[in-house]
């Protein structure tokens, strides 16, 4: 299996974990359809979670340790568009599997690559907020 | 083909029409995955459309003329739960194909049947708001 395929499979697993967690915390949660269905034609964020009009738009990644994570330009643009239309906050949500933590990096902290794509830098990821802190802020502001 | 199957096929067609329309009006739009994928395990509303933190939670129906439309108790309860968590407004959105209009009936205007299910009554449907009016209110309040 290619590393791309490994990452995608992990992605689905952790996507479900995150969706369940947010649901238990009181959010209305929608996961994107599995690729192969409509996902091919229409872009959807991996997870949209809403708590009393506070909207989190999430692209989900998983890595064993903090490292650079590359993200297609197209995907970032669509996440940004979705966040603007909805009035939500868009993040790359990263599960660090060695520690079990979920970290979140807002789109405006992504670095761009020479090719015009985007990167969550290891440096930024190590300093990034924990998902729990974002959830707590969202829930207390609602 | 059973009437149930006919209605479901029409439902998908008009679901797509409505999703496109709301997208063009500036909403972030998510359609439920086609049944057969994850839809079997997790409930999703047919359409969730968000305009700057104003959330519409929509179950989509289509009929040639206004008539009684029956809706499972389970579905209504899940729509209500989704609307409460998200802080959104939930509606049954009905395409009247003979006139081309979209009408919307809020959940609290559904009638209950003896079996504990729900009904959009023909009477209520004929008096219901047009979707455009709800969209206009949502967009002007944002």
């Amino acid at each position: 299996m290619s590393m791309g395929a490994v990452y995608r499979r992990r992605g689905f697993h952790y996507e479900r974990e995150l969706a369940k967690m947010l649901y238990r915390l009181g959010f209305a949660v929608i996961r994107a359809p599995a690729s192969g269905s409509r996902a091919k034609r229409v872009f959807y964020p991996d997870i949209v979670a809403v708590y009393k009009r506070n909207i989190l738009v999430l692209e989900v990644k998983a890595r064993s340790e903090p490292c650079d994570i590359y993200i297609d330009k197209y995907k970032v643009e669509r996440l940004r568009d979705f966040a603007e239309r909805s009035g939500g906050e868009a993040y790359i949500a990263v599960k660090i599997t060695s520690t079990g933590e979920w970290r979140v990096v807002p789109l405006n902290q992504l670095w761009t690559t020479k090719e015009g794509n985007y990167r969550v830098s290891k440096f930024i990821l190590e300093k990034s907020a924990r998902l729990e802190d974002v959830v707590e802020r969202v829930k207390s502001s609602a």
Side-chain angles (χ1 to χ4, degrees), chain A:
Chain A
M1 208 186 304
S2 71
M3 282 316 282
V6 171
Y7 287 152
R8 271 192 300 283
R9 289 229 309 202
R10 275 197 211 162
F12 285 128
H13 174 79
Y14 291 111
E15 223 179 284
R16 192 169 58 210
E17 174 188 306
L18 181 53
K20 276 189 189 169
M21 194 167 92
L22 291 166
Y23 184 85
R24 277 193 223 105
L25 288 164
F27 285 74
V29 180
I30 306 177
R31 286 175 64 197
S35 53
S37 60
R38 288 169 185 160
K40 291 272 140 108
R41 288 186 291 131
V42 184
F43 169 83
Y44 292 114
D46 288 336
I47 294 181
V48 178
V50 190
Y51 186 88
K52 310 222 180 291
R53 303 183 65 206
N54 290 283
I55 301 151
L56 300 178
V57 182
L58 306 171
E59 172 77 9
V60 177
K61 300 289 178 189
R63 294 294 186 270
S64 54
E65 307 281 344
C67 62
D68 286 354
I69 302 174
Y70 293 86
I71 299 166
D72 283 353
K73 181 183 176 182
Y74 169 80
K75 214 166 240 185
V76 172
E77 282 167 0
R78 300 309 298 265
L79 284 169
R80 189 175 285 138
D81 177 63
F82 194 97
E84 277 170 12
R85 287 167 174 265
S86 66
E89 308 166 21
Y91 295 95
I92 312 299
V94 185
K95 171 86 175 190
I96 307 297
T97 59
S98 59
T99 62
E101 284 181 307
W102 279 99
R103 297 297 195 97
V104 286
V105 177
L107 293 194
N108 62 10
Q109 288 183 15
L110 299 185
W111 295 6
T112 48
T113 67
K114 275 180 255 169
E115 298 77 28
N117 291 314
Y118 290 86
R119 178 158 57 103
V120 177
S121 79
K122 182 184 172 190
F123 176 78
I124 294 287
L125 186 53
E126 282 171 336
K127 295 174 170 302
S128 64
R130 292 180 313 149
L131 178 74
E132 293 119 282
D133 297 336
V134 169
V135 164
E136 203 172 312
R137 173 175 56 72
V138 160
K139 290 190 67 171
S140 65
S141 77

